Structure formats: structure tokens, C-alpha cells
């Protein structure tokens, strides 16, 4: 996970296997915040982006509750505004996938206060 949040475009986090619905990526912000957006960058791995996703904001990553937003993305950069939601963890879960492609993240940003 560190490689996706290090602001270094030459490193990446990868699922290590073909995309599978339900695979998740969790960001621990360290404390409860009001989260209002996420950006995803698949870097040079252009086909390894999340084609559909569910995003959760929670204080308990073991109990996600309802998704804050479900959507579809395409391309290297995905800027995803979210309804302001309080929580410590941001969990991104793959929905529909592309067979054979891994899920890669070169950079992930969480926005809020």
C-alpha cells in the first residue's frame, strides 16, 4: 500500500493478480476526518485502472456498512467527489473488472478536513 501513497510516480501498488470483483484497497487516515473526495492514478499501467468501484468511509474497516458512492471510471486519472462523510478509513472495492488486467495504483489521494 505504501507505494500508492508515497507521491512517487515511479512506484505503484498492485493487486498482484487479475482483477476480481471484491478486491479492496484500504487507506487509514490515522484519525476520524470528514472525507469528501478521492483521486486514483494508475500511472503508466493504463489498463490497470478500476473500471467500477464502491467507496466506503468508516471507522471500522471490518464493518463497511453502505457504500458512500458506487461508480464507474475509465482511464489513468479518476477524480471522485464524495458526499462529505465522517470516518478514519477509506475503502475502495472493485466492482466489475477487466479479465486479465491487474489493479494498479501509482498514487491515491484522500481529500477532506
Amino acid at each position: 500500500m505504501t507505494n500508492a501513497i508515497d507521491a512517487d510516480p515511479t512506484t505503484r501498488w498492485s493487486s498482484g493478480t487479475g482483477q476480481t470483483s471484491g478486491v479492496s484497497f484500504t487507506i487509514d487516515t490515522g484519525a476520524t476526518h470528514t472525507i469528501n473526495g478521492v483521486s486514483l492514478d494508475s500511472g503508466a499501467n493504463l489498463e490497470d485502472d478500476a473500471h467500477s468501484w464502491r467507496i466506503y468511509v468508516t471507522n471500522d474497516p471490518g464493518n463497511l456498512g453502505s457504500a458512500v458512492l458506487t461508480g464507474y471510471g475509465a482511464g489513468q486519472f479518476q477524480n471522485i467527489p464524495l458526499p462529505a462523510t465522517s470516518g478514519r478509513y477509506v475503502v475502495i472495492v472493485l466492482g466489475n473488472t477487466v479479465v486479465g488486467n491487474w489493479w494498479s495504483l501509482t498514487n491515491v489521494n484522500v481529500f477532506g478536513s
Side-chain angles (χ1 to χ4, degrees):
M1 182 183 99
T2 303
N3 286 343
I5 58 173
D6 63 2
D8 182 348
T10 65
T11 64
R12 71 177 173 139
W13 169 88
S14 176
S15 61
T17 62
Q19 292 186 20
T20 304
S21 182
V23 171
S24 65
F25 184 86
T26 301
I27 302 128
D28 180 353
T29 66
T32 299
H33 298 280
T34 300
I35 308 297
N36 62 17
V38 175
S39 68
L40 308 176
D41 178 359
S42 62
N45 310 288
L46 299 179
E47 296 298 319
D48 289 358
D49 59 310
H51 291 270
S52 77
W53 35 257
R54 295 181 310 276
I55 299 176
Y56 300 84
V57 177
T58 182
N59 282 313
D60 178 3
N63 182 14
L64 296 179
S66 298
V68 172
L69 189 67
T70 299
Y72 296 90
Q76 176 182 355
F77 299 106
Q78 297 182 40
N79 292 309
I80 307 165
L82 300 173
T85 306
S86 180
R88 174 177 173 167
Y89 299 91
V90 177
V91 183
I92 306 161
V93 180
L94 283 181
N96 297 332
T97 61
V98 177
V99 175
N101 290 38
W102 291 13
W103 182 21
S104 295
L105 295 166
T106 298
N107 201 21
V108 177
N109 289 296
V110 174
F111 303 98
S113 57

